[in-house]
Amino acid sequence: MSRNWTEAQKDAINAKGGNVLVSAAAGSGKTAVLVERVTQRILDRENPVRADRFLIVTFTRAAAGEMRERIDAAINALIAKNPADSWLVNQKILLSAAKICTIDSFCSSLVRENFNLLDLAPDFKTADEGELSVISAEACEATMEELYRKGDESFRDLVELLFAGRDDRGLAESIVALYKSSRSFPFPESWLDSLAEEFENCRTLAESRHGEMLFNYAATLCKYSLSITEDSLREIAGDPDLEKMLYDALSTDKAQYEYILESIENKKWDEAKRAAENFKATRRGNTPKHLKEDSLTLTLVEKRKVATENMKDLAKIFCCEEADFYSDCEFFAPLVKSLVEATKLYGKHLYELKKEKKIADFDDITHAALRLLVKETADGWERTREAESLCEFYEEILIDEYQDTNKAQDMLFTAISKNNLFRVGDVKQSIYSFRQAMPGIFIELKNAYKQYDRSEKAFPAKILLGNNFRSRKGVTDIINFVFSQLMSSESGDIEYGAEEELVPLASYSEKSEPATELHLLDTTLLTGERDN
């Protein structure tokens, strides 16, 4: 059935020749676009792609099933019009063998097909949460017993630091949490080592992870106070009563914020510390009687209170001298190294217990797949022969919900692709950070890629699907307003601006398309259903 595609949708369907990133807002018709893209590539008589040469990865089994059904239905409709077309009939057969699945399912099939190359039992099973909880407790106990038996001084200091109450549960929980975080990275032990190196090879405060984070947060607080102060000065301009009451105080505040911000942006820690500590909100003028209940006056006073209160939080950030940072690094270096070694030991015990019971969790399967595909090198990583083979086999790799991938999964897809990745996602819909999802990967790609230009066809490129086919203008206006107030690069990793806003589009030519086209995907995302 014909459809009036938007220009952005046409670009997402037709862009070929390199890596493409599609930022698809809720209700933007991304599933229909994905189906049309695959169908058109199969039907391209000049450069056709066999149905089994696609790898299509979704986040849930329900979404994978829906995708397969839609592609099959599109091919069936064409066969009905052209029953003698042997190419179409062959594509329908090949579609049954196509990899349209979840990330976990793809990794699992890859591992099972190559178990002889891995240290895994061919009959391993995917562990449930109950089994994993029991095994984790056993691994923790074995780890703690071994470490206590060795009696390393740094470990004893670590226990004392994290000891709470009458047991060492805090340390055990820290080890498990650190281990889980490490599994989001392609080379977990190297990532763990990098944490220890951060303290052992202590750089300047401004160059350290801690300093960068604190300076960025401090700058955000200060910029916010400066911004609302400047807004207030604009609002009182021309009003004699308000100027008499607030101008001097606001102007003095503004000068202090600018001085503090300059120190922060120049990465002068001690100077910023002193400036924050010495900040003083000057007394404002008296409020005229006729303005005591005035809404604007009350708002201006409250805004100033918010701005000045931020300076108290700022002073807490700069809680010590810069010299203290270096002494802290020296003190914590052996403790962090001890924590890292304890985490590695826990991972070793956990792996041995899983191997003994012939079980694996989703992260184990992902990392087993990675070991098949990449080798760590001194300069980073390189592909294996298995990865090179998959690179040659898959002519296009399409991944949905890319905002919920992590570094390990990102490397996996990079390893099996050669500039043929089609990634779709929406950072605003990322809800799996608690499962180690890293929406920052999607944000970095989006910031790095240029907007797709069909006349130039330069890659890598990004395409923005912002039109909403599900909601009326009143609904999208409310959503845009709320999220423009809440989302910033600091609080939500993105600035909610023109690129992120939902644009309602009432007319959609295919009447058979359900109004709730993406509701199934939204529901399965919330339930967190996954495949093995």
Side-chain angles (χ1 to χ4, degrees):
M1 215 175 263
S2 63
R3 183 195 291 268
N4 290 328
W5 302 102
T6 66
E7 293 304 307
Q9 286 177 325
K10 289 178 185 176
D11 287 339
I13 291 166
N14 299 318
K16 295 185 287 288
N19 290 338
V20 177
L21 184 81
V22 178
S23 182
S28 62
K30 65 168 181 176
T31 306
V33 166
L34 284 169
V35 171
E36 184 70 11
R37 181 180 176 88
V38 172
T39 305
Q40 285 200 14
R41 295 215 65 186
I42 289 173
L43 298 177
D44 187 341
R45 296 297 179 172
E46 293 184 6
N47 297 292
V49 179
R50 285 176 26 173
D52 63 337
R53 293 298 182 93
F54 286 98
L55 170 60
I56 304 174
V57 180
T58 64
F59 199 74
T60 67
R61 286 175 291 179
E66 180 187 10
M67 186 74 68
R68 187 182 295 275
E69 288 173 6
R70 287 195 181 205
I71 296 171
D72 186 56
I75 294 175
N76 285 339
L78 293 167
I79 290 176
K81 293 180 182 178
N82 306 280
D85 192 324
S86 59
W87 171 260
L88 286 173
V89 174
N90 190 41
Q91 294 315 299
K92 180 174 175 60
I93 296 169
L94 291 173
L95 182 64
S96 62
K99 289 285 187 185
I100 306 176
C101 56
T102 64
I103 295 176
D104 298 321
S105 179
F106 173 70
C107 290
S108 182
S109 63
L110 191 62
V111 168
R112 292 185 187 280
E113 290 164 8
N114 297 275
F115 73 89
N116 57 306
L117 302 176
L118 296 163
D119 189 20
L120 271 176
D123 56 343
F124 78 89
K125 67 172 185 174
T126 305
D128 59 39
E129 289 299 323
E131 288 177 297
L132 291 173
S133 180
V134 171
I135 290 174
S136 177
E138 290 180 26
C140 261
E141 185 177 352
T143 300
M144 300 302 283
E145 285 182 1
E146 184 171 340
L147 291 170
Y148 278 123
R149 189 167 57 250
K150 288 181 178 178
D152 181 76
E153 183 180 350
S154 294
F155 176 71
R156 290 200 303 270
D157 292 340
L158 182 64
V159 172
E160 185 176 341
L161 180 68
L162 297 177
F163 199 93
R166 298 183 177 180
D167 56 38
D168 52 14
R169 188 181 307 166
L171 175 57
E173 289 174 352
S174 297
I175 290 171
V176 173
L178 188 56
Y179 174 79
K180 287 181 178 179
S181 294
S182 73
R183 304 292 281 171
S184 336
F185 294 86
F187 308 113
E189 292 204 352
S190 294
W191 179 78
L192 287 169
D193 288 337
S194 73
L195 300 181
E197 289 168 5
E198 182 82 15
F199 289 86
E200 291 172 345
N201 304 315
C202 192
R203 295 172 289 182
T204 65
L205 176 55
E207 293 176 333
S208 70
R209 297 183 195 181
H210 316 83
E212 183 181 8
M213 179 182 68
L214 292 172
F215 272 124
N216 287 341
Y217 182 57
T220 300
L221 279 177
C222 200
K223 285 177 182 177
Y224 181 67
S225 291
L226 179 59
S227 173
I228 60 178
T229 301
E230 290 173 336
D231 286 343
S232 295
L233 283 167
R234 283 191 289 270
E235 289 185 87
I236 68 173
D239 188 315
D241 290 331
L242 287 175
E243 286 186 337
K244 184 177 180 181
M245 172 186 163
L246 289 168
Y247 181 81
D248 287 345
L250 289 173
S251 297
T252 304
D253 291 349
K254 178 175 178 289
Q256 291 185 89
Y257 298 144
E258 289 173 337
Y259 176 69
I260 297 171
L261 182 59
E262 183 180 4
S263 300
I264 293 170
E265 291 181 335
N266 289 331
K267 301 295 190 289
K268 296 180 178 179
W269 180 271
D270 289 344
E271 184 178 306
K273 171 181 168 58
R274 287 190 296 273
E277 290 174 341
N278 293 332
F279 174 84
K280 185 176 182 180
T282 55
R283 183 180 177 84
R284 62 177 174 81
N286 294 328
T287 307
K289 287 184 179 180
H290 69 283
L291 291 179
K292 285 188 176 180
E293 301 300 326
D294 177 64
S295 61
L296 175 58
T297 304
L298 295 173
T299 299
L300 290 169
V301 170
E302 184 60 31
K303 285 170 66 176
R304 187 181 184 229
K305 181 180 178 182
V306 170
T308 56
E309 287 292 321
N310 278 348
M311 295 304 101
K312 293 180 182 179
D313 293 332
L314 196 65
K316 293 176 183 177
I317 293 173
F318 299 101
C319 59
C320 64
E321 300 288 338
E322 184 168 355
D324 296 328
F325 167 76
Y326 302 109
S327 60
D328 285 347
C329 281
E330 186 178 353
F331 171 77
F332 282 110
L335 301 184
V336 174
K337 185 173 182 180
S338 181
L339 179 60
V340 164
E341 294 305 319
T343 304
K344 290 181 183 179
L345 183 59
Y346 164 77
K348 177 184 175 184
H349 285 301
L350 188 64
Y351 176 77
E352 289 171 350
L353 286 169
K354 288 177 179 176
K355 184 178 178 182
E356 179 185 325
K357 297 179 182 294
K358 296 182 180 181
I359 61 174
D361 61 22
F362 292 121
D363 286 337
D364 295 326
I365 295 168
T366 298
H367 279 277
L370 268 175
R371 290 198 297 276
L372 280 171
L373 303 174
V374 299
K375 291 180 180 178
E376 187 175 12
T377 66
D379 298 325
W381 61 277
E382 61 182 26
R383 290 186 176 94
T384 63
R385 285 188 301 174
E386 289 73 21
E388 292 288 355
S389 177
L390 290 174
C391 281
E392 295 301 320
F393 183 79
Y394 290 120
E395 296 200 34
E396 182 157 284
I397 300 171
L398 302 94
I399 310 113
D400 196 9
E401 307 296 350
Y402 210 81
Q403 78 278 354
D404 285 319
T405 56
N406 58 37
K407 290 282 188 182
Q409 295 163 341
D410 181 59
M411 178 169 284
L412 186 145
F413 293 124
T414 302
I416 61 174
S417 65
K418 286 188 176 178
N419 296 320
N420 59 351
L421 282 174
F422 186 85
R423 292 173 275 207
V424 183
D426 180 15
V427 178
K428 301 187 297 299
Q429 297 185 64
S430 178
I431 59 173
Y432 283 109
S433 291
F434 70 97
R435 286 187 180 174
Q436 313 304 328
M438 298 177 176
I441 296 171
F442 191 88
I443 294 169
E444 287 177 10
L445 291 170
K446 188 177 177 184
N447 291 338
Y449 287 8
K450 291 184 178 180
Q451 185 70 30
Y452 176 70
D453 186 332
R454 67 183 68 164
S455 63
E456 294 182 3
K457 295 184 178 179
F459 297 94
K462 65 180 175 184
I463 298 168
L464 308 174
L465 299 184
N467 291 122
N468 183 282
F469 298 96
R470 186 193 303 160
S471 306
R472 296 179 183 274
K473 185 176 185 299
V475 175
T476 58
D477 284 349
I478 291 172
I479 292 170
N480 287 333
F481 173 75
V482 171
F483 283 98
S484 67
Q485 306 301 307
L486 296 176
M487 295 187 73
S488 66
S489 57
E490 289 80 18
S491 63
D493 290 325
I494 56 171
E495 290 291 342
Y496 195 90
E499 287 191 358
E500 304 301 333
E501 290 182 354
L502 297 177
V503 181
L505 196 61
S507 60
Y508 208 41
S509 62
E510 187 178 29
K511 300 200 187 246
S512 63
E513 187 67 27
T516 56
E517 175 186 347
L518 300 185
H519 283 186
L520 174 61
L521 297 184
D522 293 345
T523 302
T524 51
L525 278 173
L526 290 173
T527 59
E529 180 184 8
R530 303 180 82 187
D531 193 8
N532 61 0

